[in-house]
Amino acid sequence: DEAMRRRLEKRIYIPLPTFQGRVALFEISMKDIHVEPDVDLTTLAEKTDGYSGADVANVCRDAAMMSVRRLMDRVRAKGLSGTQLHQELVANKDQLNHSKVSEADFLAAIAKVHKSVGDTDLARFDQWSQEFGAA
């Protein structure tokens, strides 16, 4: 309905980040996180082609949580629960504060976090833009 389309706010098409954009997103997302020096952001950017900015942020968040998951797994393997579990986690707080995110952590996160924008979505956005325009 053309009348309805006129009442809607303009749509703004923001394309997916380029290779350099994804490298920058990894840098920005991990600026306050300790990362192993051998992590290659260009490799990560190559492996996340087609990912949105939010997808890259989710990869970084998931990778940063890997050390917490490893610690939780070790504590659970000891059969601890409740107060004992909490005490063990507090006792290992320094280990978490000084742990670094490895390339393996990033690759595991990439395997779990999939791109949220598919080729069909991109084609639909492009068609809309050509048909009705976008800011």
Side-chain angles (χ1 to χ4, degrees):
D1 179 355
E2 184 61 34
M4 180 64 169
R5 256 194 302 277
R6 282 194 308 265
R7 289 186 205 114
L8 295 176
E9 295 290 325
K10 275 210 179 251
R11 288 186 176 213
I12 299 173
Y13 176 64
I14 301 171
L16 293 175
T18 62
F19 171 80
Q20 289 300 328
R22 291 189 307 279
V23 170
L25 284 167
F26 277 107
E27 290 171 346
I28 291 166
S29 296
M30 299 305 289
K31 73 178 170 123
D32 296 327
I33 306 296
H34 299 292
V35 178
E36 291 285 347
D38 63 341
V39 171
D40 183 8
L41 297 182
T42 59
T43 298
L44 300 177
E46 287 170 359
K47 292 187 176 293
T48 54
D49 185 33
Y51 280 50
S52 69
D55 297 336
V56 171
N58 287 338
V59 166
C60 292
R61 191 174 309 112
D62 196 73
M65 291 300 294
M66 293 292 183
S67 60
V68 174
R69 289 187 190 104
R70 282 191 291 272
L71 177 59
M72 291 293 291
D73 289 344
R74 284 195 304 272
V75 171
R76 285 190 188 117
K78 293 180 180 180
L80 302 177
S81 63
T83 304
Q84 292 174 323
L85 176 88
H86 178 69
Q87 289 172 344
E88 184 75 17
L89 291 174
V90 169
N92 288 290
K93 185 172 71 172
D94 283 343
Q95 180 183 348
L96 287 177
N97 290 337
H98 300 304
S99 65
K100 294 183 178 182
V101 181
S102 69
E103 187 149 339
D105 293 335
F106 280 108
L107 296 176
I110 290 169
K112 287 173 46 180
V113 177
H114 302 286
K115 61 184 179 176
S116 61
V117 181
D119 293 337
T120 306
D121 298 322
L122 292 173
R124 220 177 48 230
F125 294 144
D126 187 48
Q127 180 184 357
W128 171 272
S129 179
Q130 289 177 12
E131 189 172 340
F132 303 110

